[in-house]
Amino acid sequence: MGRPPGSTRFAERQREVVAAAASAIARRGYHATTIDDLVEATGLTRGGLYHYIGSKHTLLLQIHQRFIDPLLAEAEEIEAAGLAPDATLERLAVALMETIARYRDEVTVFLHEWRTVEDDPGWEDVRAARRRFEDVIARVLERGVAEGVMVVPNVRLAVLGFLGMFNYSYQWLRAGGRATPREIAESFVAIFLRGVVAGSA
Amino acid sequence: MGRPPGSTRFAERQREVVAAAASAIARRGYHATTIDDLVEATGLTRGGLYHYIGSKHTLLLQIHQRFIDPLLAEAEEIEAAGLAPDATLERLAVALMETIARYRDEVTVFLHEWRTVEDDPGWEDVRAARRRFEDVIARVLERGVAEGVMVVPNVRLAVLGFLGMFNYSYQWLRAGGRATPREIAESFVAIFLRGVVAGSA
């Protein structure tokens, strides 16, 4: 303690604290996880906990930002590279699956608990970030259609199907499982891409 | 009360009680839902609650059985009809999506809470039922491959991708949404089927 928020050391410790808290909440659920549980999970005092994460409520925002911010930045970088629609979708698929694998506890907490905070003012930013990520996927499909290489009757549903294939993996993905996140992503995106490619069956 | 378990009237009331309990648990999470919460959600006394659902722990089993038992029965009936692999998968897709739409609270509770009970003896039956459902999907794909109409390099991953597309809809499916569960299922299975069909791009 004693270091000002904003310093590198503070940010590093905060990341560890948020990760430990996410792990505890992923196991028991947000409502059932008490401040004492968080104190135990993080090894901090109550004061230290408040110092690093503020309230239990803002913790949910931080947990979500931990993975959506880097994922969104990566997705927009991939889109800006201007590769063909299929190659772009492949790269987005790998980025998404590797994010889920790396931040599985955080993704679990988000998917299980977002309804708890969806009416909070701070949540508007989270919702906007998610919408921006979904819009990247939608634009790739729209570009594929515009270029005549994809057929997508309903882009909104196709985006939801794509997200489902990948996001649902938080249920079964295991560290050290048979396939790496990249291999899983490549397997899924191959099915999805053939499913939307123009001229297929 | 006073009616023996096993009577039709008991079974009907029990269904209502389990549905009301599932709704409460879907909102707050299993660990944070107290017996008092369940008393309030179901309108029963503590004694009545015990009469209909036993312990809070066995409730999780009942919530899961509410949708997996009819879904599995329907899936095995569809498989037994012996239609072509693509038509079989289409029918399975609609059955799955309509089940998720109808039992959304129950599906939510299952997906969020199964780790809580996965080591329970009673859970073995639930796990077996889920495995049987997944095996129906896997067999359709294997039959498609054997008949030369599908190309599926990794059946296990393809099943997980298929389940993800559909199961993840518990996150966003709304009663009275723009598309019906059947329309969503048909849209998803069209992408998936083209993705695994032999001879496509």
Side-chain angles (χ1 to χ4, degrees), chain B residues 129-195:
Chain B
R130 292 187 64 84
R131 207 176 297 128
R132 276 171 65 193
F133 179 75
E134 293 178 18
D135 287 349
V136 171
I137 309 285
R139 279 196 300 271
V140 178
L141 299 180
E142 283 160 359
R143 189 154 62 88
V145 171
E147 293 179 8
V149 294
M150 291 181 183
V151 176
V152 186
N154 186 326
V155 170
R156 175 76 191 136
L157 282 183
V159 170
L160 289 171
F162 179 87
L163 290 175
M165 275 185 114
F166 287 83
N167 290 358
Y168 186 72
S169 67
Y170 89 96
Q171 281 274 336
W172 51 265
L173 209 56
R174 277 173 302 120
R178 264 176 285 179
T180 65
R182 173 178 289 271
E183 286 164 351
I184 296 165
E186 286 170 351
S187 181
F188 283 0
V189 80
I191 292 174
F192 188 88
L193 270 178
R194 285 164 52 127

Side-chain angles (χ1 to χ4, degrees), chain A residues 26-29 31-32 104 108 110-116 130 151-152 154 156-158 160-168 170-172 178-179 183-184 187-188 190-201, chain B residues 26-29 31-32 104 108 110-116 130 151-152 154 156-158 160-168 170-172 178-179 183-184 187-188 190-201:
Chain A
R27 272 199 309 279
R28 289 189 53 80
H31 292 290
R104 188 173 164 185
T108 300
F110 169 72
L111 291 176
H112 290 190
E113 314 291 352
W114 64 267
R115 280 184 189 81
T116 301
R130 293 187 65 82
V151 175
V152 186
N154 186 325
R156 176 74 191 138
L157 282 182
L160 288 170
F162 179 88
L163 290 175
M165 274 185 114
F166 288 83
N167 290 0
Y168 186 72
Y170 88 95
Q171 281 276 336
W172 51 264
R178 264 177 285 178
E183 286 164 350
I184 296 165
S187 181
F188 283 180
I191 292 175
F192 188 88
L193 270 179
R194 284 165 50 128
V196 296
V197 89
S200 69
Chain B
R27 271 198 310 279
R28 287 188 56 79
H31 291 292
R104 187 171 166 187
T108 300
F110 169 73
L111 291 176
H112 290 190
E113 314 291 353
W114 64 267
R115 282 186 186 80
T116 302
R130 292 187 64 84
V151 176
V152 186
N154 186 326
R156 175 76 191 136
L157 282 183
L160 289 171
F162 179 87
L163 290 175
M165 275 185 114
F166 287 83
N167 290 358
Y168 186 72
Y170 89 96
Q171 281 274 336
W172 51 265
R178 264 176 285 179
E183 286 164 351
I184 296 165
S187 181
F188 283 0
I191 292 174
F192 188 88
L193 270 178
R194 285 164 52 127
V196 296
V197 87
S200 68

Side-chain angles (χ1 to χ4, degrees), chain A residues 47-175:
Chain A
L49 197 65
Y50 183 81
H51 181 63
Y52 284 108
I53 61 177
S55 72
K56 195 179 142 191
H57 220 66
T58 60
L59 173 61
L60 277 186
L61 289 176
Q62 290 168 280
I63 288 173
H64 189 258
Q65 282 159 349
R66 286 284 293 131
F67 68 90
I68 194 69
D69 288 353
L71 175 62
L72 179 59
E74 194 176 354
E76 292 183 336
E77 195 180 300
I78 290 169
E79 185 182 27
L83 299 174
D86 56 352
T88 303
L89 200 65
E90 278 166 12
R91 290 187 59 194
L92 290 168
V94 172
L96 176 54
M97 192 59 89
E98 289 187 336
T99 297
I100 295 167
R102 182 168 176 193
Y103 295 106
R104 188 173 164 185
D105 285 334
E106 287 83 352
V107 171
T108 300
V109 172
F110 169 72
L111 291 176
H112 290 190
E113 314 291 352
W114 64 267
R115 280 184 189 81
T116 301
V117 281
E118 61 174 330
D119 296 326
D120 284 25
W123 199 247
E124 194 45 57
D125 294 342
V126 169
R127 197 182 288 124
R130 293 187 65 82
R131 208 177 296 129
R132 277 171 64 192
F133 179 74
E134 292 179 20
D135 287 349
V136 171
I137 310 286
R139 278 195 300 272
V140 179
L141 299 181
E142 283 160 1
R143 188 153 64 89
V145 171
E147 294 179 7
V149 295
M150 291 181 183
V151 175
V152 186
N154 186 325
V155 169
R156 176 74 191 138
L157 282 182
V159 169
L160 288 170
F162 179 88
L163 290 175
M165 274 185 114
F166 288 83
N167 290 0
Y168 186 72
S169 67
Y170 88 95
Q171 281 276 336
W172 51 264
L173 209 57
R174 276 174 303 119

